[in-house]
């Protein structure tokens, strides 16, 4: 039981695994800020109509956040690795906690942009004022005429008010902007605390030393770059051979001719090899030696996904 608990806690290292992740999250946040500013200037126009204000204001905050969240899920490599894992091998090799935290990793990375959008929207306050202006209680406004109600208050964001009510516009706007910014700062504080706690737990539960974790991050980055670069060259040479076989010749530039001569390509990798290096990877050791990726595991000829008498598995997911 203690070993199982320790393994599940190691999955807390799913989040914010490297500086590259933090830089990427920062760039996503900056891009979201710029997009939100552009949206507010160009696209946001409160209808200033009862019932419509509330729907439009919430949609202005929630719909773009939902779209950004879905884009984040689609762009996350873990999403498609998980899909491939479930399609090829199922989730039998993962515990319930491991599966839950894997989804948590995907959701956490995908939440950077929508949270940023929501925070900036709340700090600006326009959407919140538009959504809730009609719900301000007239009795809470000093000397507000009793004959006016939600229909007039809904027009406050558009400054389309009777002359005798203009003095109430600033008060209502100030009150709602205060509430909106308060929620925005609270959201920032909650996210900051969660990030801090996650970072602390990650460092406490990591089975790797700081230097080995840094080396693993460098290895993953270099393997990915070299794999993509080699795959691009391999596919180009293979395509050139097939085109030449069809037409009898192939029109190559100087660089491509040098590639064809330097790297002979005899065929393609069979599907079992592609399947072996595709999917979710959990850090494993075999006879005390680390296996840093599925490709590394395949190259070493290690079979299976679970721990064996000769190998040791540590539940530590690559980001």
């Amino acid at each position: 039981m203690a070993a199982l608990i320790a393994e599940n806690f190691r999955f807390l290292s799913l989040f914010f695994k490297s500086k590259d992740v933090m830089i990427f999250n920062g760039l996503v946040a900056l891009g979201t800020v710029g997009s939100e500013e552009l949206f507010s200037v160009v696209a946001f126009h409160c209808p200033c109509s009862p019932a419509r204000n509330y729907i439009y204001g919430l949609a202005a905050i929630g719909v773009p956040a939902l779209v950004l969240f879905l884009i984040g899920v689609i762009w996350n490599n873990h999403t498609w690795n998980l899909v491939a894992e479930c399609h090829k091998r199922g989730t039998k090799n993962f515990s319930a906690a491991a599966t839950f935290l894997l989804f948590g990793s995907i959701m956490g990375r995908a939440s950077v942009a929508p949270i940023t959008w929501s925070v900036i929207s709340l700090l600006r306050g326009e959407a919140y004022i538009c959504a809730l202006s009609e719900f301000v209680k007239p009795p809470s406004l000093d000397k507000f005429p009793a004959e006016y109600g939600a229909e007039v208050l809904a027009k406050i964001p558009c400054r389309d008010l009777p002359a005798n009510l203009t003095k109430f516009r600033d008060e209502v706007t100030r009150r709602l902007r205060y509430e909106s910014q308060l929620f925005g700062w609270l959201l920032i504080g909650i996210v900051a605390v969660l990030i801090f706690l996650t970072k602390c737990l990650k460092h406490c539960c990591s089975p790797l030393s700081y230097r080995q974790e840094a080396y693993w991050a460098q290895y993953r980055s270099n393997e990915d770059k070299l794999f993509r670069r080699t795959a691009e060259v391999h596919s180009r040479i293979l395509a050139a051979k097939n085109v030449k076989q069809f037409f009898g010749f192939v029109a190559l530039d100087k660089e491509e001719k040098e590639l064809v001569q330097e790297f002979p390509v005899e065929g393609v990798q069979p599907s079992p090899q592609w399947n072996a290096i595709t999917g979710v990877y959990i850090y494993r050791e075999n006879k005390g030696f680390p296996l840093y990726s599925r490709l590394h595991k395949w190259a070493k000829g290690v079979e299976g996904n679970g721990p064996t008498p000769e190998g040791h598995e540590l539940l530590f997911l690559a980001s």
Side-chain angles (χ1 to χ4, degrees):
M1 178 62 69
L4 178 61
I5 294 175
E7 287 181 343
N8 289 332
F9 266 109
R10 290 191 182 102
F11 258 88
L12 292 171
S13 59
L14 285 167
F15 299 96
F16 306 102
K17 214 154 214 12
S18 67
K19 293 181 179 179
D20 291 339
V21 173
M22 299 299 291
I23 293 173
F24 174 79
N25 290 340
L27 293 176
V28 170
L30 288 176
T32 306
V33 170
S35 300
E36 204 281 337
E37 291 290 335
L38 180 63
F39 173 83
S40 297
V41 172
V42 177
F44 184 81
H45 299 288
C46 186
C48 293
S49 174
R52 295 180 181 177
N53 281 16
Y54 184 71
I55 296 174
Y56 185 81
L58 292 185
I61 298 175
V63 173
L66 176 61
V67 172
L68 290 171
F69 176 78
L70 294 177
I71 291 175
V73 172
I74 292 172
W75 278 358
N76 194 325
N77 290 334
H78 279 325
T79 302
W80 307 115
N81 283 334
L82 180 60
V83 171
E85 187 75 21
C86 294
H87 178 65
K88 298 296 182 182
R89 288 173 284 270
T91 58
K92 60 183 180 180
N93 299 308
F94 301 111
S95 64
T99 304
F100 173 78
L101 290 175
L102 177 58
F103 276 105
S105 174
I106 296 173
M107 301 299 108
R109 289 285 299 276
S111 298
V112 174
I115 288 176
T116 303
W117 179 278
S118 300
V119 166
I120 298 301
S121 297
L122 290 172
L123 293 180
R124 288 179 61 90
E126 282 84 354
Y128 187 89
I129 293 172
C130 177
L132 297 181
S133 62
E134 64 182 283
F135 297 103
V136 174
K137 296 181 179 180
S140 66
L141 302 173
D142 187 33
K143 297 180 180 180
F144 188 85
E147 63 269 21
Y148 296 110
E151 295 80 6
V152 173
L153 291 172
K155 298 179 180 180
I156 285 179
C158 297
R159 300 180 178 272
D160 185 14
L161 291 174
N164 61 330
L165 297 181
T166 54
K167 63 180 181 180
F168 297 102
R169 180 191 303 125
D170 291 341
E171 181 180 354
V172 173
T173 301
R174 181 172 59 252
R175 182 186 301 181
L176 293 177
R177 180 169 281 114
Y178 154 75
E179 294 177 1
S180 178
Q181 293 183 348
L182 177 62
F183 290 138
W185 289 119
L186 288 176
L187 181 58
I188 291 176
I190 292 171
V191 172
V193 171
L194 289 177
I195 292 175
F196 172 75
L197 294 177
T198 302
K199 292 285 288 183
C200 291
L201 288 173
K202 176 256 180 181
H203 285 291
C204 291
C205 300
S206 174
L208 305 180
S209 66
Y210 171 77
R211 291 187 179 277
Q212 187 177 9
E213 187 176 337
Y215 176 85
W216 187 25
Q218 292 174 344
Y219 173 85
R220 293 198 311 270
S221 177
N222 290 326
E223 182 189 81
D224 183 67
K225 291 177 183 177
L226 291 173
F227 188 91
R228 291 177 181 273
R229 192 186 309 163
T230 304
E232 196 277 332
V233 173
H234 186 280
S235 62
R236 186 184 304 183
I237 297 173
L238 181 63
K241 292 180 63 176
N242 293 336
V243 170
K244 182 177 181 180
Q245 184 174 355
F246 184 81
F247 287 106
F249 73 96
V250 59
L252 301 174
D253 58 27
K254 182 178 180 181
E255 179 183 357
E256 290 171 334
K257 289 180 180 179
E258 293 176 352
L259 288 176
V260 171
Q261 293 176 357
E262 184 176 359
F263 303 109
V265 174
E266 301 299 333
V268 296
Q269 287 67 33
S271 294
Q273 290 186 9
W274 287 103
N275 294 336
I277 66 171
T278 303
V280 177
Y281 181 72
I282 297 176
Y283 175 81
R284 292 176 172 86
E285 293 182 358
N286 183 259
K287 299 180 180 179
F289 291 94
L291 300 173
Y292 290 120
S293 69
R294 282 195 171 276
L295 181 61
H296 188 190
K297 179 182 174 183
W298 172 84
K300 290 295 184 180
V302 179
E303 300 292 338
N305 292 321
T308 63
E310 296 79 18
H312 179 59
E313 178 182 277
L314 298 176
L315 298 184
F316 197 61
L317 186 73
S319 63

